[in-house]
Amino acid sequence: MSRLLIEGGTLLGLTTPADVAPDTDLYAEGGRIRATGQEASRLAAEAERDGARVERIEAPGDWVLPGFVQAHLHLCQTLLRNGPEGLELLPWLHQHVWPGEAAHDAGTMSISARLGIAESLSAGVVAVLDMGTVRHSDALFEAAAAAGIRYVGGNVLMDDPETTPPALRAPVEEGLAETERLHSKWHGRENGRLSVAVQPRFAISCTDRLLRAAAELARDRALVLHTHASENRAECALVERRTGMRNLAYLDSVGLLSHRTCVAHAVHTDDRDFRLLAERGTAVAHCPGSNLKLASGVCPVPELRGAGVRVALGSDGAACNNLLDPFREMRLAALLPRAREGAGSLSSFDVLRMATWDGAAALRLDGPEGFVPGARADFVVLDPEGGWSLPHDWSGEPYGAIVFSMGRESVAATIVDGVVRYRREDPSVGGLKPAAAEIHQAVERMRVRML
Ligand SMILES: [Zn+2]
């Protein structure tokens, strides 16, 4: 059983802006918080007296936060980073991403996943909602298990013969059988860190029958359902042409929207969509960097939140960002609403909640919010003096400094399930990050298959 003592940090629980505990120890056992304050150091000393090993982090001067949750990601696309520029969603998928995904073998998939997870852990990410591709999904779970990150994901479902390439198409029964196989092999493994999600790619890549069957599987097994929706105007227009319905209304009509659903993007949405998502309890993964890079538009985050929709943050895949860095997404998420709605439209505290607790809820991670006994021991330790964020005391609160002037260089450690999975002193992330030569060779293997 893992045991961890974080000594002397400032605990920022992010339950309310006032949830700040300076110079406070924290003790976790078996991946859950046991105690904070004097009780924490007492329990750690007691465990050590009994011969148990307690991992320690000395954190005086550091800020300890709930770890960042990446609510929309494609680890299979990390090796497709820095592809063609100047394309919108549909041509970008057809010209680069789908041929690239089809060119993977299990080995290149593994390198793609390791690279993306290492990048994520070193930026304070503790949990990901990851949409894989049609095949080689075991490599994703294997990489996540070895890295110790919390992983919700698996294979993607796509079967529409009119819109998808043959190499990336799986008939309804085949795609769902693969999700079921992954479920029986991986779901709940690694102390509960691995979970399978049901993932139809988006409305236009799936037949009506596949969408209905995916919704049924997610409902029967109580799994997270993850899909893209209303990212791009051409995508929305195609759905309307095919179904006569607005995109989200159509997804609802086939049973896809529920409290276990997380929809990526929701850029081209209006009042009717806000109400629908709020009524269904469906979460939105806001991906501002990806939406700007693919010229998709800007998600109406204040309106969604105002209607009662839970909005989390994602970077999307490295192919359309081109980074996996929650600090960049937080900065964009905080700034974009100001262009339309003024300086007070979304606070730094709210953005941090989107990047942490709202993400955890979107991934259906269990446990209470805050640094309380029983909460998941998933943390990021930030060093407010090591980067370029000093001074940070003018405003009387730490949140603006984190969102606007910190970055991945400020991450001193990332802890998942009560175990330190990244320390700044080790940029290889415990050997997880593939060597440059390994990355180049993998890309060459993929390139040959894409020609
Ligand atoms: Zn995506």
Side-chain angles (χ1 to χ4, degrees):
M1 184 167 64
S2 66
R3 294 177 177 81
L4 173 79
L5 180 67
I6 303 178
E7 295 175 280
T10 293
L11 306 184
L12 306 177
L14 304 183
T15 56
T16 66
D19 183 3
V20 178
D23 194 15
T24 301
D25 293 348
L26 183 155
Y27 178 65
E29 244 179 27
R32 300 278 163 169
I33 295 176
R34 279 284 307 276
T36 57
Q38 288 182 350
E39 178 69 357
S41 27
R42 193 189 68 72
L43 286 170
E46 193 179 280
E48 281 176 332
R49 255 199 323 276
D50 293 344
R53 193 184 89 84
V54 177
E55 192 169 22
R56 286 168 181 265
I57 290 192
E58 288 179 18
D62 288 346
W63 297 350
V64 183
L65 280 70
F68 301 125
V69 177
Q70 165 66 272
H72 181 58
L73 175 65
H74 302 262
L75 288 171
C76 64
Q77 293 174 14
T78 321
L79 287 186
L80 300 175
R81 185 178 354 235
N82 297 322
E85 290 284 334
L87 296 174
E88 288 200 17
L89 176 68
L90 298 179
W92 171 80
L93 283 171
H94 283 284
Q95 291 176 35
H96 182 56
V97 170
W98 286 350
E101 287 188 10
H104 266 303
D105 57 38
T108 59
M109 183 67 88
S110 174
I111 291 166
S112 195
R114 279 169 49 206
L115 183 60
I117 295 172
E119 187 178 354
S120 299
L121 284 171
S122 65
V125 172
V126 295
V128 300
L129 177 50
D130 175 57
M131 190 176 282
T133 184
V134 178
R135 279 169 271 280
H136 310 301
S137 304
D138 288 304
L140 300 170
F141 285 97
E142 282 159 13
I149 200 165
R150 214 174 277 285
Y151 179 92
V152 183
N155 65 314
V156 77
L157 303 167
M158 43 202 286
D159 72 330
D160 193 305
E162 285 174 24
T163 52
T164 61
L168 275 192
R169 209 179 290 152
V172 178
E173 285 72 22
E174 188 186 317
L176 292 172
E178 174 66 357
T179 305
E180 294 258 32
R181 186 189 67 78
L182 293 168
H183 182 268
S184 55
K185 185 170 176 185
W186 296 105
H187 194 74
R189 289 266 305 273
E190 300 292 319
N191 200 34
R193 288 195 300 277
L194 305 184
S195 306
V196 167
V198 181
Q199 308 192 102
R201 187 161 207 139
F202 57 161
I204 59 178
S205 70
C206 301
T207 58
D208 195 85
R209 192 163 82 82
L210 174 58
L211 293 174
R212 288 176 194 277
E216 207 176 292
L217 176 62
R219 198 166 49 240
D220 289 351
R221 299 240 182 238
L223 299 177
V224 168
L225 192 144
H226 189 36
T227 190
H228 301 94
S230 305
E231 175 177 1
N232 170 281
R233 283 189 201 286
E235 166 215 352
C236 292
L238 186 51
V239 176
E240 283 180 31
R241 209 160 53 236
R242 281 162 50 138
T243 68
M245 301 169 83
R246 287 175 305 111
N247 195 359
L248 284 164
Y250 170 61
L251 292 179
D252 187 50
S253 77
V254 293
L256 231 62
L257 302 187
S258 82
H259 63 287
R260 284 186 309 276
T261 305
C262 178
V263 164
H265 306 305
V267 170
H268 299 284
T269 47
D270 63 18
D271 286 344
R272 293 167 294 179
D273 301 312
F274 309 154
R275 276 198 303 275
L276 178 60
L277 291 166
E279 274 168 26
R280 296 291 178 263
T282 295
V284 166
H286 174 40
C287 306
S290 162
N291 294 157
L292 290 170
K293 187 150 191 305
L294 292 177
S296 299
V298 176
C299 174
V301 172
E303 291 89 336
L304 282 162
R305 286 170 50 94
V309 179
R310 189 185 299 284
V311 182
L313 274 186
S315 62
D316 211 340
C320 60
N321 188 297
N322 300 350
L323 283 168
L324 308 177
D325 184 339
F327 290 95
R328 306 270 188 138
E329 304 312 317
M330 286 195 292
R331 184 179 178 82
L332 287 172
L335 291 176
L336 280 170
R338 299 186 183 199
R340 283 188 303 128
E341 304 208 352
S345 44
L346 193 63
S347 70
S348 296
F349 176 79
D350 285 339
V351 170
L352 273 164
R353 278 201 54 95
M354 289 165 61
T356 56
W357 295 124
D358 290 327
L363 272 63
R364 311 287 300 161
L365 304 181
D366 67 345
E369 288 186 1
F371 290 132
V372 295
R376 275 173 294 101
D378 294 353
F379 315 121
V380 56
V381 180
L382 297 176
D383 166 13
E385 299 184 358
W388 300 94
S389 64
L390 282 174
H392 45 69
D393 14 32
W394 287 106
S395 67
E397 49 90 353
Y399 308 116
I402 299 169
V403 169
F404 290 116
S405 58
M406 286 193 181
R408 60 166 55 248
E409 73 282 358
S410 310
V411 176
T414 305
I415 294 141
V416 190
D417 217 12
V419 177
V420 182
R421 297 296 181 179
Y422 168 73
R423 285 185 195 259
R424 191 167 44 185
E425 298 76 41
D426 176 20
S428 82
V429 197
L432 184 70
K433 184 180 177 185
E438 210 178 347
I439 294 167
H440 294 314
Q441 284 163 13
V443 168
E444 271 318 302
R445 291 217 302 277
M446 292 171 71
R447 197 195 304 274
V448 167
R449 290 189 205 108
M450 285 166 78
L451 291 175

